């Protein structure tokens, strides 16, 4: 049975209103590739792909690299991890009695457990000189990403999903850690192992930097041109080292060779570079020996290779050794030095120098840090792999330590079995991973990485908010820095990152979202590609064979793979073309990119992970490769997107390769020079911006506002929304599919899980309660269910166990107590009962005595009531009560309450065009204006909302919606970006149905019964109810709780706090002279307290007596703020003397 | 409008026509405000005159069915017509479910939502019983028994009990819930009426309380789910909640007028006809007589088709004719200010025509209540 993932409807018989037998035009229907792409890739495929890559390949590589542990105590002992794999998720509280140990994500959510699977290893080790092999030993537990290939949801059809209580439309790609859904956001960072040239105009410094990243370490190397001198800087070096010294140290090159390597035969560069030789000469460095010595003395101590722990302390190494080690292993570490062959590294350093010199002459060659091709996206798999590698290495160290501890013991009764230790130490891996995902604190010591906020709780406010979270990219830039560059829209973002979907405020432009067709690459092995290049084209020869003069000769192109030069060719175009042909034929992975950079005379091949790419249709000789027959096969479901990839009809281009192409937007734009054709222009937008109808007619910030608001809209969350027990869940009672939709809406299934209703809107002013974007609502519409929503809240209790064996319990109900009214006999609230403030929902009781028992002393069996009661002012109904156990075998009780709310004054609504407004007044139906046909609006919107906002899309939505309602045709209501229905057609429909062509109709006032003097624009507009509701925000206080320390009123609505009269308000009152009001606010209504003050010593007295002066004669009573009194006493307690001197401002007229 | 008794010349027929027409222009509506009160026109009195009203007031029926009635009121002011419309929507009492007692509800529809859905279902029954026997129910006061005000003459009791079970005889490969399960869908017809006290006298047989439309879907169930509820219906007003409104909608529009001021001929005439709803404009050949008349614009066009206004009532006032430059100055649109084409769509408890009469009765009653107050107000001066 085919997987019914919802794309069938789009692909099969009637997609786009066409049946299989209808004629197909490639121009019109090439967009069918889009659902085909999403079917294969999905919206969150990048997360899942990355996780799959980690659990299937990377984890094995990590273990392979650190497989053996040997003991320093017993040289015959070793333990080796021969293989590792991740099993299917199962219950952690494994029980032989259970038939099924398979666990579903829903069970984890409800029971507050972690959705994880065993990590199994194959181990070989010695015990008493015997070699023992054990398979499938449990090492630790790995959190499983939902819908990854380890997950039970992988490849499940709708029926199976339903059986598991899972929503088939849920995107997956997140983890469930102790019942909460956690997403590892995509992280954006500068690409590693690539040279980036930067210029500091102010100080006229040009520097080339490279972040070398290997499995062992991460470090950054700079080559800087400052005042004509070129130096190399690195963290391991105490000071910048002249570049010639470095180059001399790298393999003993002669001055001539160095000059050639850097400058080639270019006289300008030679003139510039020659001064650096003097620098070396001045330092007295002429030979490699001297150079290494020079560098060695400048290597920071304690850095780099520490003597291995436990081994004999090594002799202090000589300067030369230090220098050699630093150059070979630390500086530019990603260029491996094999057999002390420093030439590749010398080439690399020379290349950096050359780039600096080139940038010095041509400022255009300075790299753009914000160019998307210079960025890499780090996904869940990569982050987990970093974490796992760190934890695994730590595990090996701990394992070794604890085994050695055992081996050290003399006279062992039983031989040391390392398996026990594996299990014991392995749980630190489990804990480490769980903790990292739960807290979002990613700390990897090797890389000095200490990131907070990597993970977030998956927002389940609406389907869109969850989906939007999965495509979010967060940047590493600081939010506080005032630079516009990283925040600005980059031209290279086209098609890769959504131009609309970014938050407002401090994270603006730093948090981005993926566009609809974006794919993020996973790692492809570099070596096979490297070998391929040599067999592919005989004109490509290893770089090792050439000198600098040949490398930099005009017309010679250096071939780089992942930033590392490795070959030379004089036919870059031919080579690139051959390479691409091979890729299109499927001999090379489709995600390997190649591009020719003529400015730098370089060919770049990239195979690394985290590049952003996107599919395009290949165009050959001015003709698109995709033909009618292909689309027909696609429609019939006979081929998939991947087949087209293999057939060379479409290919993925990353941002760098895009620079080598000429992409036509539409088929009509194809010329002889065109290399690619866009699949569908509206895919430059992301999933969230795709909800907006006619976004290309809106002012761009409005689309951005809608992207933020679409995530706050109340609607359907998932098909399993009523099975979930979330902390806070909003649902709409009658959600509707938007009248005007887009292809994106269909693709992301927003039409199946909508968040809003089609309101009949008239645009006119009414009553004055509609100023400042306020809306006028029809009371009858609200009566009939418009905007009605439900709020579910979770209340949970875990029954604690104490070390003395006592445990909390649910008490029997005593119905005579009024607050226990809604409880049933079992001490839990009855489902369906109405619960109001103060009533008990769970009658929990805690033992009085929780101290550990000593000896046989009998502890008291008394319990005190610690019930969970309902605290909100507005009553709710008990929706669900769940009693279960966590995996720690403690009892867990969750109660869900439900409120049903109709719209009220002040509730927030928004259309899909960034036009938000609150309800200003709710008007009876008979007062509403009505049209000739008796039509009466649900919402009246003030026309002043339009001129300054310029949301023409909203007008078009209204008109298109009206036409499709009138015509009764679903396919009329499409408002896709750049391909929406022509407006004239809509107007014609309206006229045919007897409406005005421009959507403005004759209305009669409901109040006077007379005609309105203007024609009123009206029609259906999709309105979203936003989560901000008056009921959750309104707050007032007359008297109430006070803070214990200061005796001032508490702060915040949740604590029934007061409204602060702040400093500025105080200033106003002073300026106005309202002294009595000020006195009342600051004393009577706050923390005024009567205090005895001794006028003689100036200290506080007590009960009219000064204990300092031992008299009550000079004690006066006055009122002061308690906080001031507290301050004085605190100062006194710190030995700061404070005396209060009193004087009568209005002396007694005696 | 009552006749003028002023000293000036009485207004001409054109002026009367002009006064009685709301102007429909390209972007504006003109002459909208009511003028039917004394002293509006200088030297004309226009005081209310019963005889004048009796002569000029007309009612024309266009359609009269249970769920939809259309008729024209000619010769009243907008305020009176609007009062009828407002009363129809909000002030005619009707019977609807007000209280729902949930004994058991294990369906996916939450109690509140279920109750809300039930409230909106229109019911009908003996009209006499609803109008005469049923009185208004008062909410019991604080501390009072919750049924203290509930009697047979103000409460109708209903019951809905449905339990979904597997059907034994279901075809094996069926996926249709109706075939697979008993009571998969709960409809309005499943609500049963439970007569109380003196109710059987009025509400029995064909006059029993029953949903107007038996096919309204209330909830969907699956095996093991059950709905068991009791409901109380009371009389209420539309201003309280839309469920008590006896109409789906009640509205009126003014009679459109179309005046062709210059001849529209041939292809233009066809285009002109297409600017209106079918039937509004007819095409007729220009008669010899017209062609002979000098200055009519028809000279020499005998036999050509010309556009004539046939049935302006069908016009929807889309103003399409005003949009095209070729008709500029040739057509004048308007609406008759005192001709109200009412459209009443009953929700089903009452017939549409009854509702209008009820509205008239209520307006009369209100006027009766107003009269002594106005009198007192004058005396108080």
């Amino acid at each position: 049975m085919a997987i019914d993932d919802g794309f069938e409807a789009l692909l099969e018989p009637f997609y786009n209103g066409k049946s299989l037998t209808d004629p197909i035009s490639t121009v019109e229907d090439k967009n069918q590739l889009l659902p085909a792409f999403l079917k294969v890739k999905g919206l969150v495929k990048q997360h899942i792909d990355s996780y799959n890559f980690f659990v299937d390949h990377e984890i094995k590589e990590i273990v392979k690299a650190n497989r053996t542990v040997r003991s320093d105590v017993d040289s015959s002992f070793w333990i080796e991890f021969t293989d590792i794999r991740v099993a299917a998720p199962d219950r952690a509280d494994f029980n032989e009695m259970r038939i099924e140990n398979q666990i579903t994500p829903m069970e984890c959510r409800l029971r507050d457990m972690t959705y994880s699977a065993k990590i199994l290893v194959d181990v070989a080790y010695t015990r008493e000189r015997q070699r023992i092999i054990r398979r499938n030993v449990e090492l630790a537990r790995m959190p499983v990403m939902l819908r990854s290939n380890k997950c039970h949801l992988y490849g499940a059809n709708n029926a199976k999903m339903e059986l598991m209580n899972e929503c088939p439309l849920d995107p997956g790609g997140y983890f469930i850690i102790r019942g909460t859904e956690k997403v590892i956001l995509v992280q954006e960072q500068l690409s590693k192992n690539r040279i980036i040239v930067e210029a500091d105009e102010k100080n006229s410094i040009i520097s080339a930097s490279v972040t070398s990243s290997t499995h062992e370490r991460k470090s950054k190397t700079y080559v800087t041109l400052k005042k004509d001198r070129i130096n190399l800087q690195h963290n391991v070096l105490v000071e910048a080292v002249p570049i010639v010294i470095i180059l001399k140290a790298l393999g003993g090159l002669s001055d001539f060779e160095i000059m050639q390597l850097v400058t080639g035969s270019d006289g300008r560069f030679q003139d510039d570079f020659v001064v650096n030789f003097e620098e070396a000469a001045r330092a007295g460095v002429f030979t490699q020996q001297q150079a290494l010595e020079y560098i060695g003395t400048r290597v920071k101590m304690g850095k780099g290779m520490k003597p291995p722990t436990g081994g004999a302390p090594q002799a202090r190494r000589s300067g030369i050794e230090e220098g050699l080690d630093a150059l070979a292993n630390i500086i530019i570490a990603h260029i491996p030095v094999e057999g002390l062959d420093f030439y590749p590294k010398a080439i690399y350093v020379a290349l950096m120098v050359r780039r600096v010199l080139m940038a010095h002459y041509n400022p255009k060659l300075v790299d753009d840090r914000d160019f998307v091709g210079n960025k890499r996206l780090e996904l869940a798999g990569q982050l987990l792999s970093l974490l796992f590698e760190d934890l695994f290495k730590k595990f090996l160290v701990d394992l070794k330590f604890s085994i050695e501890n055992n081996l050290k013991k003399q006279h062992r009764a039983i031989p040391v079995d390392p398996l026990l230790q594996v299990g014991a130490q392995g749980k630190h891996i489990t804990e480490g991973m769980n903790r990292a995902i739960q807290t979002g604190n990613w700390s990897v010591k090797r890389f000095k990485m200490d990131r907070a906020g990597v993970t977030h709780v998956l927002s389940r406010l609406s389907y869109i908010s969850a989906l939007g979270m999965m495509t979010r990219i967060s940047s590493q830039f600081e939010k506080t820095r005032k630079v516009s560059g990283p925040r600005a829209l980059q031209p290279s973002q086209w098609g890769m990152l959504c131009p609309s979907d970014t938050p407002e405020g401090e994270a603006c432009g730093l948090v981005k979202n993926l566009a609809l067709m974006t794919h993020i690459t996973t790692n492809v092995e570099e070596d096979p590609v490297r070998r391929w290049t040599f067999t592919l084209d005989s004109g490509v020869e290893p770089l090792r064979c050439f000198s600098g003069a040949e490398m930099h000769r005009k017309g010679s192109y250096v071939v780089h793979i992942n930033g590392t030069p490795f070959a030379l060719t004089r036919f870059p175009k031919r080579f690139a073309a051959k390479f691409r042909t091979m890729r299109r034929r499927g001999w090379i992975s489709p995600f390997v990119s190649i591009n020719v950079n003529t400015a730098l005379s370089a060919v770049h091949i990239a195979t690394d992970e985290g590049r952003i790419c996107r599919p395009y249709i290949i165009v050959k000789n001015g003709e698109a490769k995709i033909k009618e027959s292909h689309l027909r096969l696609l429609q019939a479901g006979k081929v998939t997107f991947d087949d087209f990839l293999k057939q060379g009809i479409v290919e993925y281009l990353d941002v760098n390769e895009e620079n080598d192409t000429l992409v036509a937007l539409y088929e009509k734009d194809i010329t002889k020079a065109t290399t690619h054709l866009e699949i569908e222009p509206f895919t430059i937008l992301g999933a969230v911006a795709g909800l907006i109808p006619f976004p290309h007619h809106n002012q761009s910030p409005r689309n951005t506002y809608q992207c933020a608001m679409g995530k706050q809209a109340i609607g359907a969350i998932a098909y399993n929304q009523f099975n979930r027990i979330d902390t806070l869940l909003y649902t709409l009672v009658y959600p509707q599919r938007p009248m005007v939709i887009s292809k994106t809406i269909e693709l992301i299934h927003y039409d199946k899980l909508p968040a809003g209703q089609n309101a009949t809107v008239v645009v006119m002013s009414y009553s004055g309660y509609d100023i400042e974007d306020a809306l006028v609502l029809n009371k009858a519409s609200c009566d009939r269910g418009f905007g009605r929503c439900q709020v579910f809240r979770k209340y949970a209790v875990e029954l604690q166990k104490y070390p003395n064996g006592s445990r909390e319990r649910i008490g029997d109900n005593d119905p005579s107590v009024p607050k226990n009214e809604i409880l049933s006999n079992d001490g839990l609230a009855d489902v369906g009962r109405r619960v109001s403030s103060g009533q008990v929902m769970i009658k929990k009781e805690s033992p009085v005595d929780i101290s550990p028992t000593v000896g046989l002393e009998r502890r008291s069996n008394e319990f005190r009531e610690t019930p969970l009661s309902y605290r909100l002012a507005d009553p709710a109904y008990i929706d669900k009560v769940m009693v279960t156990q966590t995996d720690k075998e403690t009892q867990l009780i969750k109660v869900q309450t439900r409120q049903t709310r109709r719209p009220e004054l002040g509730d927030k609504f928004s259309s899909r065009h960034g036009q938000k407004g609150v309800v200003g007044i709710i008007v009876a139906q008979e007062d509403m204006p009505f049209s000739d046909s008796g039509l009466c609006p649900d919402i009246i919107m003030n026309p002043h909302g339009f001129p300054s906002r310029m949301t023409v899309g909203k007008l078009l939505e209204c008109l298109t919606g009206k036409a499709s309602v009138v015509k009764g045709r679903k396919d009329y209501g499409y408002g896709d970006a750049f391909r929406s229905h022509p407006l004239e057609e809509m107007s014609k429909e309206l006229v045919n149905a007897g409406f005005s062509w421009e959507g403005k109709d004759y209305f009669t006032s409901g109040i006077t019964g007379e005609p309105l003097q203007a024609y009123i624009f009206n029609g259906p507009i999709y309105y979203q109810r936003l989560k901000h509701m008056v009921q959750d925000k309104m707050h007032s206080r007359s008297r109430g709780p006070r803070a214990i320390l200061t005796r001032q009123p508490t702060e915040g609505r949740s604590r029934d706090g007061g409204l602060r009269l702040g400093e500025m308000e105080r200033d106003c009152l002073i300026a106005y002279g309202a002294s009595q009001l000020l006195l009342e606010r600051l004393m009577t209504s706050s923390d005024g307290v009567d205090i005895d003050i001794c006028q003689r010593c100036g200290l506080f007295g007590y009960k009219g007596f000064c204990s300092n002066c031992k008299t009550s004669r000079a004690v006066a009573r006055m009122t002061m703020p308690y906080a001031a009194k507290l301050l004085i006493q605190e100062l006194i307690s710190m030995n700061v003397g404070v005396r209060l001197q009193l004087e009568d401002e209005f002396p007694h007229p005696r | 409008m009552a006749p003028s008794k002023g000293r000036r010349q009485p207004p001409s027929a054109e002026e009367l026509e002009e006064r009685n027409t709301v102007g429909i222009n390209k972007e504006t509506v003109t002459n909208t405000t009511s003028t039917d009160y004394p002293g509006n026109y200088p030297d004309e009195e226009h005081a209310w005159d019963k005889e004048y009203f009796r002569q000029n007031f007309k009612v024309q029926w266009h359609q009269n069915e249970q769920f939809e009635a259309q008729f024209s009121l000619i010769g009243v002011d907008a305020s009176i017509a609007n009062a009828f419309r407002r009363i129809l929507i909000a002030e005619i009492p009707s019977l609807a479910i007000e209280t729902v007692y949930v004994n058991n509800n294990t369906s996916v529809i939450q109690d509140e939502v279920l109750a809300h859905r039930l409230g909106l279902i229109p019911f009908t029954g003996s009209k006499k019983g609803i109008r005469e026997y049923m009185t208004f129910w008062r909410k019991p006061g604080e501390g009072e028994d919750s049924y203290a005000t509930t009697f047979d003459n103000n409460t109708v009791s209903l019951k809905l009990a449905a339990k979904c079970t597997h059907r034994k005889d279901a075809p094996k490969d069926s996926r249709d819930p109706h075939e697979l399960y008993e009571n998969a869908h709960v409809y309005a017809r499943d609500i049963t009426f439970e007569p109380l006290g003196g109710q059987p006298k009025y509400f029995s047989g064909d006059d029993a309380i029953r949903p107007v439309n038996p096919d309204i879907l209330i909830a969907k169930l699956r095996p093991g789910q059950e709905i068991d509820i009791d409901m109380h219906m009371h009389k209420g007003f539309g201003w309280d909640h839309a469920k008590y409104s006896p109409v789906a909608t009640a509205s009126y529009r003014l009679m459109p007028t179309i005046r062709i001021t210059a001849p529209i001929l041939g292809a233009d005439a066809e285009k002109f006809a297409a600017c209106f709803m079918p039937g509004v404009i007819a095409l007729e050949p220009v008669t010899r007589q017209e062609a002979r008349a000098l200055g009519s614009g028809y000279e020499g066009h005998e036999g050509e088709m010309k556009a004539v206004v046939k049935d302006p009532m069908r016009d929807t006032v889309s103003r399409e004719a005003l949009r095209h430059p070729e008709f500029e100055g040739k057509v004048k649109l308007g609406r008759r200010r005192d001709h109200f084409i009412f459209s009443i769509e009953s929700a089903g408890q009452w017939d549409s025509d009854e509702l209008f009469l009820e509205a008239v009765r209520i307006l009369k009653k209100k006027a009766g209540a107003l009269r002594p107050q106005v009198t007192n107000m004058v005396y108080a001066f």
Side-chain angles (χ1 to χ4, degrees), chain A residues 1048-1065:
Chain A
Q1048 286 171 352
T1050 49
E1051 212 180 315
R1053 185 183 117 100
S1054 55
R1055 274 164 293 182
D1056 191 23
L1059 295 166
R1060 186 182 158 84
L1061 186 103
E1063 234 172 304
M1064 296 170 94
E1065 290 82 359

Side-chain angles (χ1 to χ4, degrees), chain B residues 148-270:
Chain B
T149 57
T150 305
F151 300 105
D152 59 348
N153 68 349
N154 64 11
T155 304
V156 173
S157 177
L158 302 171
K159 192 170 176 58
L160 173 64
K163 191 170 184 172
C164 184
T165 48
H166 280 283
R167 230 179 214 181
K168 292 276 177 331
D169 57 338
K172 263 228 164 89
D173 49 352
S174 169
R175 299 194 66 180
D176 179 10
H178 289 285
E179 289 177 9
L180 286 171
Y181 319 119
E182 201 72 55
N183 281 332
H185 293 181
V186 182
Y187 292 101
R189 58 170 166 269
D190 298 329
I191 299 176
T192 50
F193 166 54
E194 295 186 315
L196 304 166
Q199 287 175 2
K201 206 174 123 196
Y202 295 95
F203 307 116
S204 55
D206 282 350
D207 283 339
I209 301 283
R210 61 187 188 276
V212 173
N213 187 342
D215 296 329
I216 296 173
L217 182 67
I218 296 171
K220 292 187 181 181
L221 300 180
R222 284 296 175 269
Q225 296 181 346
E226 186 183 351
I227 289 178
D228 179 9
I229 49 178
D230 295 310
M231 291 156 273
H232 282 180
M233 291 175 96
H234 302 301
K235 260 170 130 177
F237 292 106
W239 45 257
D240 178 28
H241 193 282
K243 69 184 173 187
Y244 291 121
S245 184
V247 292
T249 191
S251 73
Y252 60 76
R253 61 194 176 103
L254 297 179
M255 179 67 167
T257 61
I258 304 163
R259 246 172 57 214
I260 299 174
T261 53
I264 300 170
L265 295 163
D268 272 1
E270 269 170 48

Side-chain angles (χ1 to χ4, degrees), chain A residues 292-337:
Chain A
L292 287 172
E293 189 80 48
Y294 182 93
I295 295 164
T297 52
R298 278 157 184 82
V299 171
K300 271 184 202 158
M301 297 310 294
K303 272 270 172 188
M305 301 296 280
K306 266 196 175 161
T309 41
Q314 281 186 331
R316 168 105 178 76
R317 291 189 298 178
S318 72
I320 294 177
E321 276 174 337
E322 285 272 7
L324 210 57
D325 182 53
L327 278 183
N329 296 323
I330 300 168
I331 297 170
I332 313 181
H334 68 284
I335 310 286
V337 173

Side-chain angles (χ1 to χ4, degrees), chain B residues 52-163:
Chain B
Y52 181 82
F53 179 75
R54 199 193 294 272
Q55 278 164 24
N56 281 277
F57 178 68
K58 273 198 286 276
V59 178
Q60 282 171 6
W61 283 91
H62 307 302
Q63 185 187 6
N64 189 8
E65 284 153 33
Q66 187 193 354
F67 292 111
E68 176 143 25
Q70 281 204 24
F71 56 88
S72 290
L73 292 189
I74 306 166
V76 286
D77 186 60
S79 55
I80 306 291
N82 194 36
F84 289 139
R85 186 190 66 86
R86 293 172 61 93
I87 289 168
L88 279 163
I89 291 172
E91 289 176 62
I92 296 178
S94 72
L95 205 56
I97 295 172
E98 169 69 14
T99 320
V100 177
Y101 299 92
V102 182
N103 303 319
N104 194 8
N105 171 22
T106 51
S107 74
V108 289
I109 309 247
Q110 295 87 356
D111 300 349
E112 303 98 286
V113 180
L114 184 67
H116 175 236
R117 292 177 72 85
L118 290 167
L120 291 174
I121 299 171
F123 280 82
T124 185
S126 157
K127 286 169 187 158
K128 190 172 154 64
I130 295 173
R131 189 183 295 128
E132 289 165 17
Y133 180 65
M134 299 301 289
T135 55
F136 291 95
W137 177 81
R138 174 178 66 85
K139 206 177 170 188
E142 197 76 26
E144 228 175 327
D145 182 72
S146 51
Y147 298 108
T149 57
T150 305
F151 300 105
D152 59 348
N153 68 349
N154 64 11
T155 304
V156 173
S157 177
L158 302 171
K159 192 170 176 58
L160 173 64
K163 191 170 184 172

Side-chain angles (χ1 to χ4, degrees), chain A residues 722 731 733-734 779-786 788 790 792 832 877 879 898-900 902 925-928 930-936 987 991-998 1000-1002 1004-1015, chain B residues 22-34 77-79 82 85-86 89-90 108 110-113 116-117 120 238-243 245 247-249 251-254 274-275 277 315-320 322-323 335 340 345:
Chain A
F722 294 129
T731 60
V733 176
Y734 296 110
K779 178 173 169 291
S781 302
C782 300
D783 285 346
R784 292 178 176 120
F786 175 77
R788 196 162 287 219
Q790 294 185 312
F792 295 86
Y877 294 88
D879 189 61
R898 153 174 40 95
Q899 281 180 319
T900 305
R902 50 181 287 162
Q925 187 188 340
E926 62 268 25
D927 286 338
M928 282 285 191
F930 58 96
S931 78
D932 271 10
S933 52
L935 172 138
C936 181
S987 281
V991 169
N992 289 343
F995 290 94
S996 157
W997 67 283
E998 50 180 355
K1000 286 158 71 170
D1001 296 314
Y1002 172 98
T1004 309
S1005 163
I1007 300 171
T1008 65
E1010 288 165 5
L1012 297 178
Q1013 293 184 330
Y1015 301 108
Chain B
V22 172
I24 300 290
N25 309 313
K26 205 170 170 189
E27 294 294 343
T28 54
V29 185
T30 47
N31 197 20
T32 58
T33 46
S34 178
D77 186 60
S79 55
N82 194 36
R85 186 190 66 86
R86 293 172 61 93
I89 291 172
V108 289
Q110 295 87 356
D111 300 349
E112 303 98 286
V113 180
H116 175 236
R117 292 177 72 85
L120 291 174
W239 45 257
D240 178 28
H241 193 282
K243 69 184 173 187
S245 184
V247 292
T249 191
S251 73
Y252 60 76
R253 61 194 176 103
L254 297 179
C275 287
M277 293 309 276
D315 183 29
T316 54
V317 200
S318 70
R319 289 124 50 215
E320 182 67 4
L322 301 181
R323 197 180 139 204
R335 312 195 85 164
F340 298 91
E345 292 174 40

Side-chain angles (χ1 to χ4, degrees), chain A residues 222-346:
Chain A
Y222 299 87
V223 171
T224 337
L225 171 72
K226 192 178 178 183
K227 291 177 189 153
D228 294 338
R229 303 280 188 280
I230 300 177
N231 291 319
L232 183 136
Q233 268 177 306
H234 190 278
N235 259 345
V236 82
L237 300 171
V238 199
E239 56 174 0
V241 176
I243 197 70
V244 171
I245 297 180
I246 297 280
L247 284 166
K248 280 197 177 194
L250 288 169
L253 302 168
S254 72
D255 285 1
F256 178 68
E257 280 173 314
I258 289 173
M259 182 64 109
Q260 282 210 315
L261 215 47
V262 173
T263 66
S265 53
D266 194 321
R268 292 180 309 171
F269 293 160
Q270 284 174 357
D271 290 346
D272 264 5
F273 187 67
V274 81
V275 282
N276 291 289
F277 287 103
E278 290 165 23
E279 201 76 357
R282 202 175 302 146
V285 175
F286 300 98
T287 64
Q288 184 181 14
Q289 189 91 4
Q290 287 166 333
L292 287 172
E293 189 80 48
Y294 182 93
I295 295 164
T297 52
R298 278 157 184 82
V299 171
K300 271 184 202 158
M301 297 310 294
K303 272 270 172 188
M305 301 296 280
K306 266 196 175 161
T309 41
Q314 281 186 331
R316 168 105 178 76
R317 291 189 298 178
S318 72
I320 294 177
E321 276 174 337
E322 285 272 7
L324 210 57
D325 182 53
L327 278 183
N329 296 323
I330 300 168
I331 297 170
I332 313 181
H334 68 284
I335 310 286
V337 173
E338 282 153 4
L340 282 188
D341 177 12
F342 278 106
Y343 194 54
K345 201 168 266 193

